[in-house]
Amino acid sequence: MALCRTGTCWLHVDGGRRRRCLLTLYQSCHLSTNQKPQGALSLITSKAKHLNAKYEHFLERKFPNFYILYSTFMKGLQMLFIDGKEVRRIRRKMKSHGIQYHQLPYREMEKLRQFRRDVIKAAPVIVISIPPFANYLVFVLMYLFPRQLLIRYFWTPKQQEEFLEIYHSKRKDVYEDVLDGMLKSVSSVTEQTLQDQIHHLVTQVQHGVHPKVANLQEVRAAFSHPPFCMNSLDVQKMRALSRIMFLTPHLPAFFLQRRLRSHIFEIHHLDSALLQLGVKELTDGEVKRACYIRGLNSAHLSAEECRKWLNCWLQLSGKLKESEASLLLHSMVLLCVNYLQSVEK
């Protein structure tokens, strides 16, 4: 009996019979047949990247305005893809560990909330683009109506600043409606002390005074009973408050109430998670976004001023029960309308 080696395979000679080591042979053959496809794929990928770089350079030189839109769109696709993968990871984690939405850490909870809103906004564009050749119409609409049709991934930095200002101006348009509605309803509060406190609070805000958190905590009991609790808000109030939260006001009363309740509870859960994390752990961009979704226009405020306001908001939110969530909803006006002026003073 003898052993001999041929190439990379061992041959076993026994009584004139030879047996190859099939596993080694298979591995060597498998590797050898894959070398060319892998090399070809790498070459194609490298060539595609080179051509794409040349194309982008051409656009940048010849069509600078279009290049801005093109580069923003491509970066937006990458961000959307990355966030989509992150959302899938979070959902798998929730399913495998039996975790509810409100039990997630702050950043994961906020990621799911924002991604869901983005997908809902993008859904009509996706539906329109399904028929053959309809995608050309979609591109035209997206170019003409970027704020209405595009989600945040596809906005340029200039557009982001401009669109956030437009959205906030729509909130400002209903500030007075919300405050007037509170004054009209205050007479229905059964307890006289609460009546006086709410009337004084709203009147002060209307005269440009920024309220303290303690002033809001004093009247919290009134917001778990009619006329200020979630179940007692009339249609006009719900429509005004829906615009404060960037929700469509053109729905029947039942759906308005349900959406307001769902979204303000969502913010309440976010507040609980943020209290555990700590405002100091947020980046400047995260702080500004957190303030914006809670009603404050953070574009003209420093990160430190935003942190100060957000701590006040959490001080209020952390003490409220779910039955008092309507106060949190009204605080998107009460705590925001005069904050910029109070900072400037």
Side-chain angles (χ1 to χ4, degrees):
M1 181 174 67
L3 286 174
C4 62
R5 186 180 181 186
T6 304
T8 56
C9 299
W10 285 96
L11 301 181
H12 180 223
V13 182
D14 184 11
R17 291 181 302 170
R18 296 182 178 183
R19 292 181 299 173
R20 290 183 178 274
C21 181
L22 296 178
L23 178 61
T24 307
L25 180 61
Y26 170 77
Q27 289 176 340
S28 63
C29 293
H30 181 70
L31 290 173
S32 65
T33 55
N34 269 340
Q35 284 175 353
K36 288 183 179 179
Q38 286 179 353
L41 181 61
S42 176
L43 182 63
I44 293 171
T45 303
S46 176
K47 191 69 174 176
K49 288 181 179 179
H50 177 68
L51 291 174
N52 187 63
K54 287 183 66 175
Y55 175 65
E56 290 183 353
H57 184 62
F58 168 76
L59 289 179
E60 190 174 10
R61 285 188 297 106
K62 298 294 184 179
F63 307 99
N65 292 332
F66 179 75
Y67 172 75
I68 293 173
L69 296 176
Y70 171 81
S71 60
T72 301
F73 182 78
M74 296 306 295
K75 290 175 184 176
L77 282 179
Q78 292 176 358
M79 291 170 58
L80 181 61
F81 178 73
I82 292 170
D83 280 0
K85 288 179 64 177
E86 179 67 10
V87 166
R88 284 197 298 272
R89 183 194 66 79
I90 295 170
R91 286 177 175 164
R92 284 198 300 267
K93 168 185 166 183
M94 292 172 66
K95 185 176 180 179
S96 62
H97 292 83
I99 299 174
Q100 299 296 318
Y101 171 79
H102 64 272
Q103 296 173 312
L104 290 170
Y106 172 77
R107 287 191 174 93
E108 292 184 352
M109 198 184 300
E110 171 60 15
K111 179 74 71 177
L112 287 182
R113 186 199 72 85
Q114 187 60 57
F115 192 81
R116 185 179 69 249
R117 291 176 72 98
D118 287 336
V119 169
I120 291 172
K121 183 178 179 180
V125 177
I126 296 172
V127 172
I128 293 172
S129 64
I130 291 175
F133 306 107
N135 54 329
Y136 297 107
L137 173 61
V138 171
F139 283 129
V140 173
L141 293 174
M142 289 168 65
Y143 179 77
L144 295 175
F145 308 102
R147 179 173 61 84
Q148 293 84 352
L149 297 178
L150 293 182
I151 55 180
R152 59 193 175 96
Y153 297 99
F154 306 110
W155 292 346
T156 65
K158 183 179 179 181
Q159 285 177 328
Q160 289 188 28
E161 184 178 338
E162 177 187 344
F163 295 164
L164 290 179
E165 283 288 344
I166 292 173
Y167 284 131
H168 185 71
S169 69
K170 293 180 180 295
R171 288 198 290 212
K172 288 174 64 178
D173 290 342
V174 293
Y175 277 171
E176 282 303 318
D177 294 340
V178 173
L179 296 175
D180 289 340
M182 291 183 71
L183 286 179
K184 289 177 183 176
S185 301
V186 73
S187 59
S188 300
V189 176
T190 54
E191 190 177 333
Q192 186 62 45
T193 303
L194 282 176
Q195 273 194 37
D196 296 339
Q197 288 173 329
I198 294 173
H199 189 278
H200 178 72
L201 172 66
V202 176
T203 303
Q204 289 288 92
V205 170
Q206 286 182 324
H207 285 83
V209 177
H210 180 67
K212 297 178 180 178
V213 173
N215 301 138
L216 297 173
Q217 289 176 341
E218 288 174 352
V219 300
R220 54 185 284 191
F223 288 82
S224 58
H225 302 286
F228 292 115
C229 67
M230 294 294 299
N231 294 334
S232 302
L233 298 175
D234 60 42
V235 174
Q236 293 304 318
K237 290 176 187 172
M238 287 192 291
R239 284 178 178 163
L241 291 168
S242 292
R243 292 178 65 183
I244 294 292
M245 296 200 73
F246 301 136
L247 301 173
T248 177
H250 309 297
L251 290 173
F254 170 77
F255 291 105
L256 288 175
Q257 184 184 97
R258 185 173 179 177
R259 295 191 78 197
L260 280 173
R261 181 190 299 276
S262 171
H263 282 74
I264 200 60
F265 283 171
E266 195 171 53
I267 289 179
H268 198 204
H269 292 319
L270 278 170
D271 292 342
S272 299
L274 185 52
L275 279 168
Q276 293 181 12
L277 176 66
V279 174
K280 64 181 182 299
E281 298 297 325
L282 299 182
T283 65
D284 291 353
E286 287 174 329
V287 167
K288 284 179 171 284
R289 284 193 296 273
C291 289
Y292 192 86
I293 69 169
R294 289 162 176 79
L296 183 69
N297 185 12
S298 52
H300 306 291
L301 296 168
S302 68
E304 199 54 42
E305 290 164 345
C306 289
R307 280 190 171 84
K308 181 180 177 182
W309 183 90
L310 189 55
N311 276 313
C312 290
W313 173 278
L314 294 176
Q315 186 182 345
L316 172 66
S317 179
K319 298 288 180 63
L320 295 182
K321 304 173 185 176
E322 286 198 351
S323 60
E324 299 165 337
S326 180
L327 175 56
L328 207 59
L329 190 57
H330 286 82
S331 294
M332 294 182 73
V333 176
L334 296 171
L335 283 177
C336 298
V337 62
N338 298 319
Y339 184 68
L340 181 59
Q341 295 89 320
S342 69
V343 169
E344 291 174 348
K345 290 178 182 179

